[in-house]
């Protein structure tokens, strides 16, 4: 068994404490006790062999080694979180093509704005927008020709 590998909860505790510089806020953010954060950081410091934080009763600061570890870990941690988020989105169906239609110019303008935001948040999902006549909406939705329709009542 490798002893140099860090576990997810250790990374998360370290990086959160490095950001918050407060054990209580770190514990609150991670939904664990302050004692748990303290134990995790002490264990991590024993494994690394040097203090990662300097602590007083009033202050918590990163040590030089702690700053370096934080700077080295941040990009990798962000990439891991992005990969997990991408997997979750893919599992929820945020890939492929979303077919959307609308009726009326105002609905079209609203839909274009919403589509831009959706594309930013879900770049792996293509969105295709087209205008429809009221009589086309229900048949298109029933047949699966469109996934979503923006229209005014009575539809």
């Amino acid at each position: 068994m490798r002893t140099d590998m860090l576990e997810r909860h250790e990374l998360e505790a370290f990086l959160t404490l490095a950001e918050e510089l407060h054990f209580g806020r770190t514990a609150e953010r991670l939904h664990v006790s302050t004692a748990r954060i303290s134990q995790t950081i002490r264990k991590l410091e024993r494994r690394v062999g040097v203090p990662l934080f300097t602590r007083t009763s009033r202050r918590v600061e990163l040590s030089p080694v702690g700053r370096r570890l934080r700077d080295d870990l941040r990009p990798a941690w962000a990439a891991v979180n992005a990969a997990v988020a991408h997997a979750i989105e893919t599992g929820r169906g945020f890939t492929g093509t979303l077919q959307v239609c609308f009726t009326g110019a105002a609905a079209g303008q609203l839909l274009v704005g919403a589509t831009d935001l959706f594309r930013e948040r879900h770049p792996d999902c293509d969105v295709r927008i087209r205008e429809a006549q009221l009589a086309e909406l229900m048949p298109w939705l029933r047949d699966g020709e469109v996934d979503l329709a923006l229209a005014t009542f009575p539809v």
Side-chain angles (χ1 to χ4, degrees), residues 69-139:
L69 182 60
R70 177 204 57 200
D71 294 346
D72 288 346
L73 286 175
R74 266 189 187 159
W77 186 246
V80 166
N81 286 329
V84 170
H86 186 255
I88 290 168
E89 286 180 4
T90 300
R92 290 181 179 162
F94 284 84
T95 60
T97 302
L98 180 64
Q99 301 283 349
V100 183
C101 70
F102 67 93
T103 60
Q109 287 179 327
L110 178 65
L111 197 54
V112 167
T115 299
D116 290 342
L117 181 60
F118 183 86
R119 283 181 175 138
E120 279 179 34
R121 292 183 180 173
H122 308 286
D124 292 336
C125 186
D126 185 32
V127 181
R128 296 206 178 120
I129 303 172
R130 63 181 175 173
E131 188 170 9
Q133 301 302 315
L134 278 176
E136 297 170 317
L137 285 180
M138 292 313 291

Side-chain angles (χ1 to χ4, degrees), residues 14 48 50-52 62-70:
F14 171 75
V48 172
V50 295
L52 299 172
L62 282 162
S63 70
V65 173
R67 275 193 299 279
R68 175 65 189 259
L69 182 60
R70 177 204 57 200

